[in-house]
Amino acid sequence: MPPIRVLIADDEALVRRALEVFVNAETGMTVVGEASDGPSAVELSLDLKPDVVLMDIRMPGGDGIRAIERLSAELPSARTIAITTYSSDETVAAALSKGAVGFLVKDSEPEHITAAVRSAHHGGFVLSSIAGQDIVRRISTSAASQATVTLSPAEQLTPREIDVLRLLAKGMSNAEIGRELFLSEATIKSHLRRIMTKWDVRDRMQVLLFAARAGIIRIPSTP
């Protein structure tokens, strides 16, 4: 298998260097580029096509939130993880709503960072602490007016779709969910597409946020 290709965007050179060391020390992943601001991160990503982007969400030279939004639209194959100094930072909510697949605090243990990269690459999501639950609630509250349905969100789903959701909330990839439910990966993808259509959301993270808001699932946080 080719290594997971990672791009790092942070305005602090020491942070970039530390993240580079952590990623390159892990078997099966490599850093392919670094940027010191949002616009540079986007341009470099469009050129290098990384699998995963570690994006600082507060950079003086360019807004990380805007960069995440651009990457979500212009390079949807790249999975972007927001990184921040404080897990309670309110801008994390904006990062998730713009397309980030999760967030990490900068003082996370190296193994948590590399595990997050691997999880994101395989379709998972990352919440670095219990503060993630508060962030999910903030996004859910602000997004409440975006979807109005006759049936409740849970009532719109089949029992099998709810099974898929609950396993998705555990951070499982499509392949892992398929093995758990004795279904093919293609069938799991089909279930997720139907859920997205029913709820009018665009990706797995938005599915999870919508489901958490509706009380169908609880999203666990890593230590």
Side-chain angles (χ1 to χ4, degrees):
M1 293 290 290
I4 301 170
R5 305 172 74 254
V6 181
L7 187 137
I8 297 168
D10 196 289
D11 62 301
E12 296 184 51
L14 288 177
V15 172
R16 294 198 305 272
R17 177 56 181 160
L19 291 172
E20 179 187 15
V21 169
F22 298 158
V23 171
N24 283 337
E26 181 74 6
T27 301
M29 59 183 67
T30 184
V31 173
V32 296
E34 298 179 15
S36 59
D37 59 51
S40 297
V42 172
E43 296 309 313
L44 199 57
S45 294
L46 293 176
D47 181 44
L48 297 175
K49 305 293 192 298
D51 300 307
V52 177
V53 178
L54 296 175
M55 180 77 72
D56 186 5
I57 55 178
R58 283 190 169 179
M59 292 182 282
D63 181 13
I65 302 296
R66 174 58 180 155
I68 290 170
E69 183 177 30
R70 285 189 59 193
L71 284 177
S72 180
E74 299 176 36
L75 190 65
S77 62
R79 306 277 290 172
T80 303
I81 301 172
I83 56 175
T84 182
T85 303
Y86 304 104
S87 62
S88 59
D89 192 329
E90 291 184 358
T91 57
V92 173
L96 295 177
S97 69
K98 295 301 183 181
V101 298
F103 79 92
L104 290 169
V105 290
K106 291 183 181 180
D107 61 355
S108 297
E109 295 294 330
E111 59 267 29
H112 291 165
I113 293 171
T114 54
V117 169
R118 201 174 300 280
S119 176
H121 178 58
H122 291 294
F125 65 95
V126 184
L127 294 177
S128 70
S129 73
I130 194 64
Q133 296 289 349
D134 296 329
I135 290 167
V136 168
R137 282 193 290 271
R138 282 203 298 273
I139 296 176
S140 299
T141 300
S142 66
S145 62
Q146 294 181 4
T148 302
V149 295
T150 302
L151 299 175
S152 72
E155 289 171 335
Q156 295 178 64
L157 304 184
T158 66
R160 179 59 77 193
E161 287 167 349
I162 291 178
D163 289 340
V164 170
L165 268 182
R166 288 173 176 161
L167 294 176
L168 186 67
K170 294 181 179 181
M172 290 187 179
S173 67
N174 290 344
E176 290 170 331
I177 295 172
R179 287 194 294 270
E180 182 73 17
L181 298 178
F182 302 100
L183 298 172
S184 70
E185 187 172 355
T187 299
I188 299 304
K189 289 180 180 178
S190 178
H191 281 308
L192 286 172
R193 283 195 297 269
R194 285 197 292 270
I195 294 171
M196 291 177 198
T197 299
K198 289 175 180 180
W199 288 350
D200 191 25
V201 296
R202 68 175 184 272
D203 55 33
R204 293 163 65 97
M205 177 58 73
Q206 294 298 317
V207 165
L208 289 168
L209 296 174
F210 197 104
R213 184 190 75 197
I216 299 171
I217 62 169
R218 288 175 58 86
I219 297 180
S221 298
T222 57

